Amino acid sequence: MDANAVAELEKAGVKVDAPDRLFVAVEWDENQRVIPVGARAQVRAGEQLAHVHLQPISKLWTGDTKPPSFAKTPPLEYHPFFILIEATAAGYCRAVRNTETDQEFERLYRHLVRRPDGTDRNPLFSYLQGAVRLYMSLRDVSQAEFEAVVLRLHQSARHHQTHVGSINYFQDVLRGVLGA
């Protein structure tokens, strides 16, 4: 948890008690190219936009809580974490008018677990990181919990993949999150 990020969001009028109602919104440069999320992220809460400084994922791990099994449905207390990440992914795809493939989502989630503070050629990766960083700024999350959540998302993308180029993860999961 990051008290500075919480204070920044509260000062901007964002309610931080419901992270599942937030997502990291896409920003554009003057040439209409996506700006990857850096130290600062644009957060959307309904129609409200706010900017917040976010620390790297590795600096936000708190405690050593062991997550329960996510083999079936994740426990309810983890749903806001999943929703914030998936809402950010859906919002990104909708904003850039490009639906990433199941294979690309699988790759990005795998990369996020392996290199949480790394970079990737696909700007969506920085938005997934931004979503994780936002959630972890609002709630205490251990490294094991982070890894379990992102690995579950990786498995979900892989589970939905039926062929090269399939977009089932987006259609079956993400579309419903934001109505993307």
Side-chain angles (χ1 to χ4, degrees), residues 77-180:
E77 62 265 24
Y78 288 91
H79 285 199
F81 198 0
F82 283 98
I83 291 171
L84 197 157
I85 296 168
E86 291 181 326
T88 297
Y92 177 90
C93 290
R94 182 175 61 185
V96 301
R97 293 186 171 101
N98 178 46
T99 304
E100 295 290 353
T101 65
D102 302 331
Q103 187 175 11
E104 181 65 357
F105 273 112
E106 181 184 354
R107 185 188 74 77
L108 291 172
Y109 289 136
R110 183 178 56 247
H111 185 51
L112 185 56
V113 168
R114 290 181 178 166
R115 300 196 48 135
D117 295 330
T119 60
D120 191 84
R121 68 185 179 280
N122 187 336
L124 173 55
F125 182 75
S126 72
Y127 284 85
L128 297 174
Q129 282 176 316
V132 168
R133 292 164 53 210
L134 175 59
Y135 185 85
M136 292 176 67
S137 294
L138 304 177
R139 301 288 184 271
D140 288 339
V141 177
S142 69
Q143 182 175 354
E145 289 173 304
F146 156 76
E147 289 173 353
V149 167
V150 178
L151 284 172
R152 181 65 168 89
L153 290 167
H154 170 264
Q155 290 169 350
S156 182
R158 184 175 57 207
H159 169 77
H160 284 88
Q161 184 177 345
T162 55
H163 60 277
V164 173
S166 67
I167 57 170
N168 299 324
Y169 174 69
F170 176 84
Q171 290 178 328
D172 297 346
V173 178
L174 299 183
R175 183 178 275 166
V177 176
L178 275 186

Side-chain angles (χ1 to χ4, degrees), residues 20-88:
D20 54 331
R21 297 199 175 160
L22 307 175
F23 69 94
V24 177
V26 174
E27 289 193 82
W28 307 90
D29 68 13
E30 61 279 349
N31 297 319
Q32 295 304 304
R33 287 183 298 219
V34 173
I35 300 171
V37 176
R40 223 166 146 70
Q42 179 172 250
V43 176
R44 180 173 290 279
E47 293 302 312
Q48 183 180 15
L49 285 174
H51 283 88
V52 63
H53 282 91
L54 298 173
Q55 293 188 39
I57 292 170
S58 62
K59 292 191 181 212
L60 292 167
W61 288 318
T62 306
D64 58 1
T65 302
K66 301 289 183 232
S69 172
F70 290 167
K72 294 189 180 187
T73 302
L76 287 176
E77 62 265 24
Y78 288 91
H79 285 199
F81 198 0
F82 283 98
I83 291 171
L84 197 157
I85 296 168
E86 291 181 326
T88 297

